[in-house]
């Protein structure tokens, strides 16, 4: 079986398990993606999500536009992949703010869960990230999409929360 078919089968299986645990989810599978720019970064950030430490993320609006993607919307679901492309979690976007890099708040920096969770650490980490991986580099005034989310499903413990916010039977979250 080709890698693409294995990934597709894994996504189908994951989505089937999630929907079986929470019937209020849509039939259509949401977009699947990984955090970060490398497999190691994806795994590190996923671990923070699964631990409940990371409840926010940031994207450069410039990169979203360059990739002809749409800005996430409140209520949007995403399947989060690990560094090997395996589905590991389902999140729901709970808030979106688009602000210049220099106006990202300490609250948002803390929600991202990286480093010591301070705004200073967030700025250092993200400036370096966008300098290395951003489509248009980095600028203090660049628009940043600050996304907040909640974990709905964790493949590690098969825990699942319904979209309405009620816990499904047998869950740990």
């Amino acid at each position: 079986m080709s890698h693409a078919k294995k990934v597709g089968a894994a996504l189908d299986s994951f989505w089937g398990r999630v929907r079986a645990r929470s019937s209020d989810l849509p039939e259509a599978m949401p977009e699947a993606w990984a955090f970060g720019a490398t497999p190691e970064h994806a795994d590190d950030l996923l671990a923070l999500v699964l631990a409940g430490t990371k409840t926010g993320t940031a994207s450069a609006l410039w990169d979203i536009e360059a990739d002809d993607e749409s800005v996430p919307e409140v209520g949007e679901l995403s399947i989060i992949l690990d560094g090997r492309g395996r589905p590991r979690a389902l999140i729901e976007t709970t808030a979106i703010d688009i602000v210049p890099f220099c106006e990202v708040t300490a609250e948002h920096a803390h929600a991202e869960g990286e480093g010591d969770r301070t705004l200073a650490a967030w700025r250092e980490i993200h400036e370096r990230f966008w300098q290395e991986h951003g489509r248009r580099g980095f600028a203090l005034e660049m628009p940043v999409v600050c996304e907040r989310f909640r974990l709905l499903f964790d493949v590690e413990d098969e825990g699942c929360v319904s979209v309405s916010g009620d816990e499904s039977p047998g869950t740990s979250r």
Side-chain angles (χ1 to χ4, degrees), residues 15-27:
W15 190 237
R17 289 193 332 265
V18 173
R19 289 197 69 238
R21 306 277 314 260
S22 187
S23 62
D24 53 347
L25 293 171
E27 193 171 320

Side-chain angles (χ1 to χ4, degrees), residues 42-114:
D43 287 342
D44 291 346
L45 295 176
L46 173 65
L48 292 174
V49 171
L50 297 179
T53 305
K54 182 174 182 62
T55 59
T57 193
S59 304
L61 183 60
W62 294 342
D63 293 345
I64 291 171
E65 293 170 345
D67 292 337
D68 201 26
E69 296 178 356
S70 57
V71 172
E73 296 180 10
V74 171
E76 187 173 294
L77 302 174
S78 297
I79 296 172
I80 304 302
L81 307 173
D82 67 14
R84 293 189 295 205
R86 298 176 304 184
R88 302 297 301 277
L90 178 71
I91 62 170
E92 177 187 22
T93 300
T94 59
I96 293 288
D97 290 304
I98 301 174
V99 298
F101 177 89
C102 59
E103 293 180 23
V104 170
T105 66
E107 177 186 11
H108 184 80
H110 187 266
E112 287 213 31
E114 296 177 69

Side-chain angles (χ1 to χ4, degrees), residues 109-149:
H110 187 266
E112 287 213 31
E114 296 177 69
D116 65 6
R117 301 181 80 176
T118 64
L119 182 56
W122 183 92
R123 286 181 173 158
E124 179 183 324
I125 291 165
H126 286 78
E127 179 177 345
R128 184 174 351 109
F129 179 85
W130 284 314
Q131 285 174 342
E132 293 174 14
H133 303 286
R135 299 280 204 155
R136 289 177 47 191
F138 169 79
L140 283 174
E141 295 297 324
M142 65 185 276
V144 175
V145 179
C146 296
E147 178 179 358
R148 297 294 301 269
F149 58 82

